[in-house]
Each structure stands twice: as structure tokens, then as C-alpha cells.
Amino acid sequence: MQKKVCGRMRKFRARIDGHTPILYWHFLAAAQRRDFYPHIPVIRRGKSAHGKMTIKFVVIHFILLVQCARSDLLEYGADDEDPNDTSVNQMLVPRSHQEEATRILNSLLEEYDKTLRPDIGVKPTVIDVGIYVNSIGPVSSIDMEYQIDIIFAQTWVDTRLRFNSSSSRRLTLNSNMVGLIWLPDTIFRNSKNADSHWITTPNQLLRIWNNGKVLYTLRMTINAECQLQLHNFPMDEHSCPLVFSSYGYPRDEIVYKWSRNSVETSDKKYWRLYQFDFMGLRNTTDVLTTTAGEYVVMSVYFDLSRRMGYFTIQTYIPCILTVVLSWVSFWIKSDATPARTALGITTVLTMTTLSTVARNSLPRVSYVTAMDLFVTVCFLFVFAAMIEYAMLNYYSYSIRRPPAKMQRLAYSSFNVGPPPRPMMPVGNSLFWQDYDDNCLYECLDGKDCKSFFCCYEECKEGGWRKGRIHVNIGELDAYSRVFFPTSFLLFNIVYWVSYLYL
């Protein structure tokens, strides 16, 4: 009846808006004619009675106006209400639902013993496990560990938490409920330390279904151990594991299983793998046998490949340039001793510094890494370039310096031809040197030719020369200009092909 009367009043109010108040009295007259109030009887009396009835209708009209205005506001608020607004929905939740949820929780926890696992003595408790990886990194080669941020989810069935409810099939609870029910004693076996997130509230979620199914999730940051094999460093690849299992329950009491979407990852552009590329992941299930029993061990392996950019700029390129710089001495005159000596010592000290710096980014492992091999070979090339000049300088000055003891000619005084060229056997090589002067060195018997410099023709043409390489010592720098770059180039080809493609 109220909606019908309000509808008629809205129509009449729209007709009289903006007109004189005289129309209002017409409204009252129409009201008396039962146009708006057919349920109120009209009493026809005298003039005074008519005045009293008019006042009565005014009061009734005012009350109806207030009721209609209230009805309009309620309808307007209902039209503008956002169905997705959770605050409004929560305000509109019947009080009976809250009371029912409280009653369910109280009934579940009334005789619940959280120290006993579900189905104890009947069958093993099956734990479905899932991991969501928020980020990985950084990876420390020195400490042999990596950092990972995950959301760890565990699902199991606890028949003691079954409930009947007509309003909801699931209860979503906060962290205050976590300590009131049984939870698996899962540990991460290769973690060095782990932290749970507590800001702004404990990052924990607990959901209970009406069939007793329980979902428990927890966000944590773990520093896990990763045994890095650095034989191919810095071209190495690793599989860093995350291993977890039950601490106290063996396989006949708790069985871990991977869920359908067992391991998921977030956007990798937010990961902090500065020196590594993420190649993929895989998960496994194993059984660990100990004196305390057999335990189900779950593992997730994150495959990582190291990037070479940093080490190429910091180590490889400086080593190559230092070796090339040491070859400059082959184009400097042999009598420029200060210049060639300073260059050789500088390059050797530079290689020593580079070797020390390269080792700072590695743990103190006892085996040789790929970078150690490269730096060592570069050091040997630089050191060999300095030794080459030392040999050249020594033999050049030894030949030109006359001996202190008595000298005698090693050839006939009647021989007026040019003196023979001296020769010097060193190992399996012979170094020849031309002289303008006669051979002034003391020689032993020509048949032995054991001295460094022999002046007899028999020594030059004897059978002891067979199988020996004859090298002119004056051309030692020329030979080095070809031998050192060629051998270093061959070494680089073998090195990079072996470590990158084999």
C-alpha cells in the first residue's frame, strides 16, 4: 500500500513542481476525493469539521512524504551499490554466517589434538607440495650458495577437520589459526639459513574445506647451499638444488608428492642472476636411508649457466693485451738494454697482478680452473719473451768480450784467408756469429769440440753436427717475431674450442 501511495504522490508532485502554492490545496481537495487515500473515509460535515479534516490530511500527507523520501534514498543506494565491493558485502553478510563459522571452529578445535598427525596408526599422511618461485639470486661462487624467495604450499587431508555447513564449503583463516592445528615438520636440508616474511602480517595462509582438506602456504627466503664445480670457470654450468623432507616422520608415516603444477616461476626479469642465465628447472623424488629410517626427499634443481661478459672484460682481454705488449721488445734493438728490460719486467708484474685479481672471485679450490690455465699460459708467454732477450744479450756480449787468459791462434800462421766463423752448440742447436776479427778464443782439441766456441774447421765439419739445427743467434729476434704470435694464436684456438664446444 505504501508503494502505491508513494507512486501517486510522485506523479502529483511532478505536476505541481514550480507552480503556486494554490495547487497544493487542490491536492488536498483531491485527497479528500479519495484520489490518493482511498482507504480513508471522507466525512462531510460543516465548515468547522471541514477545517479539522484539512489539518488531518496535511499531517497525514507530511508523514507520507517522509516515508516516500526514505524509500527513494534506499532505492537510490541500492542502485549505486557496487557488487564487487567487499566492504559492502561484508556489511551485508548475515550475522548467522559469522555465528555459524565461529561455531564450526569451536566444534573443530574442541577435542582436537595438534600433536598427532592425521590418520595416525591407520595410513601414511600424503602431503601434496607446490612451490612458487618469486626470485632467485644472487649466486655466490665464493660461499657456494644462492638465495631464493619462494611461496611454499602444502596440502593434506585431516579427517578431524571435517564440518557440515549450509553457507560455505571452505574456511579461509589467518595466521592465528596456524598454531592450533597439526602441521607437517618440513625442513630444507641444504639451507644455511631461512627467514619467514612477517611484514605487515605473517605471510601465511590457511584454508580448510568441509571434507577435511587443508592448504597451508608460507613465504620464505632461503640461502641454500650449492656445490659449484669450477673446473670450467668461467664457462661453467651448474644445477643448484633445493632439497626438503620431513624431519621426524619416516616414509611409512608421511609421504611427499608433487602437485599437478608443482613448480611455477614468476617473471624472470625481476630475478637477480647477475652473472648467470636461467636455463630451466626439474624436480625429483628420492628416498634417503638413514639409521632413523627411510625418508622421502624432494628436490628442485635450478639449471644455471654463467655469463662470461664480466670476466672477459676484467681478465681475458687484459691478459691478451699484456702478452701482445711483451712482443714489442722483439722490434727493439738488442743493444737497448734499459728499454727491453723495463718492458719485460713491467709485463711480468702486470700478469702477476692480473692472476691475483682473477683469483679473488673464486674460492680456494685445489684444482686448476679454465681461467687459471689461461692466465698461467699468458704469464709463461710474457716470461719467455723476457728470457729470450736475456739469452740474446748474454751470448752477444760473451762472444764480443775477449778472454782474460792467454790467447793463441787456432789456425795456421801461414793461412792468410779470412778467419772461420765461430759456432756455438746449445742443446740441440747451433748459433753462428760472424766476426770481423780473427778467432781469439781459446779452443780445445778440434776432435772434442766441447767448448762453446770452436775455431777448427774439423769442428765445423765434424760428424757431431749431424741432427742439429743451425740457428744464427743474430736472427733470434726475427725468429721470435714469428714463433711467439703463431704459438699464442694456436693456443687460443685450442683453448676456446675445447672449453666452449667440447
Side-chain angles (χ1 to χ4, degrees):
M1 180 64 68
Q2 180 180 353
K3 291 183 179 180
K4 187 175 181 180
V5 173
C6 289
R8 293 182 179 181
M9 291 190 66
R10 290 191 194 99
K11 292 180 181 179
F12 186 80
R13 195 165 44 189
R15 291 165 53 189
I16 66 174
D17 283 346
H19 296 280
T20 58
I22 299 176
L23 295 178
Y24 186 74
W25 299 106
H26 290 282
F27 162 74
L28 295 179
Q32 292 187 26
R33 292 196 302 268
R34 302 172 63 86
D35 291 340
F36 292 94
Y37 310 102
H39 60 287
I40 301 177
V42 178
I43 303 174
R44 301 184 178 276
R45 295 182 180 178
K47 184 178 284 187
S48 60
H50 178 74
K52 294 180 179 179
M53 293 301 296
T54 302
I55 296 174
K56 180 179 180 179
F57 282 119
V58 170
V59 174
I60 294 175
H61 175 255
F62 177 78
I63 295 174
L64 289 176
L65 281 178
V66 173
Q67 293 292 334
C68 291
R70 182 181 178 185
S71 177
D72 292 342
L73 290 176
L74 291 176
E75 292 180 2
Y76 178 79
D79 293 338
D80 294 343
E81 178 180 330
D82 186 5
N84 298 325
D85 191 353
T86 57
S87 61
V88 175
N89 293 336
Q90 292 176 0
M91 294 175 60
L92 299 179
V93 172
R95 185 175 182 83
S96 61
H97 292 181
Q98 300 178 1
E99 294 177 351
E100 183 179 7
T102 302
R103 178 186 60 80
I104 292 173
L105 291 178
N106 292 334
S107 62
L108 291 178
L109 300 176
E110 184 176 357
E111 296 180 357
Y112 188 89
D113 189 356
K114 66 179 181 179
T115 61
L116 301 178
R117 70 172 181 85
D119 301 325
I120 184 172
V122 178
K123 62 180 180 179
T125 303
V126 179
I127 311 294
D128 292 331
V129 181
I131 296 177
Y132 183 80
V133 181
N134 290 322
S135 65
I136 299 179
V139 180
S140 175
S141 299
I142 298 178
D143 299 329
M144 289 196 177
E145 67 178 18
Y146 71 100
Q147 188 177 90
I148 181 171
D149 184 359
I150 64 172
I151 297 178
F152 188 64
Q154 302 176 90
T155 306
W156 66 93
V157 176
D158 192 343
T159 56
R160 298 170 295 178
L161 297 178
R162 292 177 179 175
F163 62 89
N164 294 323
S165 175
S166 59
S167 59
S168 62
R169 298 176 52 253
R170 181 185 67 186
L171 295 176
T172 301
L173 308 172
N174 60 9
S175 59
N176 296 328
M177 187 68 181
V178 172
L180 302 178
I181 65 172
W182 178 87
L183 297 176
D185 60 340
T186 306
I187 62 168
F188 291 89
R189 290 185 168 270
N190 65 327
S191 67
K192 293 185 176 180
N193 55 73
D195 295 322
S196 298
H197 292 255
W198 301 91
I199 304 299
T200 57
T201 60
N203 296 177
Q204 297 174 338
L205 170 66
L206 183 65
R207 288 179 180 175
I208 302 176
W209 279 262
N210 57 358
N211 60 354
K213 178 182 176 182
V214 181
L215 170 64
Y216 173 59
T217 64
L218 172 66
R219 183 188 175 191
M220 61 183 68
T221 299
I222 303 172
N223 288 341
E225 183 180 2
C226 181
Q227 293 294 333
L228 305 179
Q229 299 297 326
L230 302 173
H231 294 86
N232 295 335
F233 177 87
M235 293 159 283
D236 48 342
E237 297 179 354
H238 306 282
S239 292
C240 293
L242 183 64
V243 185
F244 59 92
S245 68
S246 173
Y247 183 78
Y249 293 101
R251 184 172 61 169
D252 56 352
E253 296 193 38
I254 281 187
V255 177
Y256 286 93
K257 293 176 58 179
W258 290 108
S259 59
R260 178 175 299 178
N261 298 323
S262 54
V263 182
E264 297 180 354
T265 60
S266 63
D267 194 348
K268 300 176 182 59
K269 67 180 181 180
Y270 299 109
W271 294 7
R272 295 175 294 171
L273 295 174
Y274 306 121
Q275 294 184 10
F276 292 87
D277 288 322
F278 179 72
M279 309 302 295
L281 58 86
R282 64 186 187 277
N283 51 355
T284 61
T285 303
D286 302 310
V287 176
L288 177 64
T289 302
T290 64
T291 57
E294 295 181 348
Y295 294 87
V296 178
V297 178
M298 315 291 282
S299 304
V300 184
Y301 293 91
F302 302 96
D303 297 330
L304 306 176
S305 178
R306 193 184 300 271
R307 300 173 183 172
M308 285 192 57
Y310 173 81
F311 302 97
T312 301
I313 297 174
Q314 295 293 325
T315 302
Y316 282 98
I317 292 179
C319 288
I320 293 175
L321 294 180
T322 303
V323 173
V324 174
L325 181 63
S326 66
W327 300 339
V328 176
S329 63
F330 302 148
W331 279 267
I332 301 177
K333 293 182 179 181
S334 59
D335 55 352
T337 303
R340 297 190 66 164
T341 303
L343 181 61
I345 294 176
T346 302
T347 53
V348 169
L349 294 178
T350 302
M351 284 304 308
T352 304
T353 303
L354 290 175
S355 176
T356 304
V357 172
R359 265 292 177 177
N360 290 336
S361 58
L362 286 175
R364 291 184 175 90
V365 294
S366 58
Y367 49 82
V368 178
T369 65
M371 180 178 288
D372 293 337
L373 177 61
F374 188 87
V375 173
T376 302
V377 172
C378 290
F379 182 85
L380 292 178
F381 270 93
V382 172
F383 187 75
M386 187 173 182
I387 294 300
E388 182 270 346
Y389 176 68
M391 293 176 57
L392 177 63
N393 183 73
Y394 173 78
Y395 289 115
S396 297
Y397 279 90
S398 297
I399 293 174
R400 295 175 184 176
R401 186 178 63 250
K405 48 185 167 179
M406 184 181 295
Q407 306 169 1
R408 63 183 180 90
L409 293 177
Y411 53 91
S412 175
S413 59
F414 297 98
N415 187 5
V416 294
R421 293 184 304 170
M423 57 184 177
M424 174 189 64
V426 177
N428 290 330
S429 302
L430 286 177
F431 297 90
W432 294 79
Q433 179 67 36
D434 295 330
Y435 293 99
D436 296 334
D437 301 332
N438 294 333
C439 181
L440 302 177
Y441 289 87
E442 180 181 5
C443 299
L444 299 177
D445 190 359
K447 297 178 181 180
D448 297 332
C449 292
K450 293 183 179 179
S451 63
F452 284 97
F453 305 100
C454 187
C455 303
Y456 288 101
E457 291 293 335
E458 297 89 285
C459 294
K460 294 171 58 178
E461 299 177 357
W464 62 277
R465 294 182 53 206
K466 294 181 180 181
R468 302 193 180 211
I469 301 174
H470 301 275
V471 179
N472 188 352
I473 194 172
E475 301 295 331
L476 187 58
D477 280 342
Y479 298 148
S480 300
R481 295 169 193 169
V482 178
F483 173 76
F484 276 81
T486 303
S487 58
F488 189 69
L489 178 62
L490 292 176
F491 163 74
N492 277 272
I493 293 175
V494 174
Y495 176 87
W496 294 110
V497 170
S498 301
Y499 281 102
L500 292 180
Y501 302 104
L502 297 181

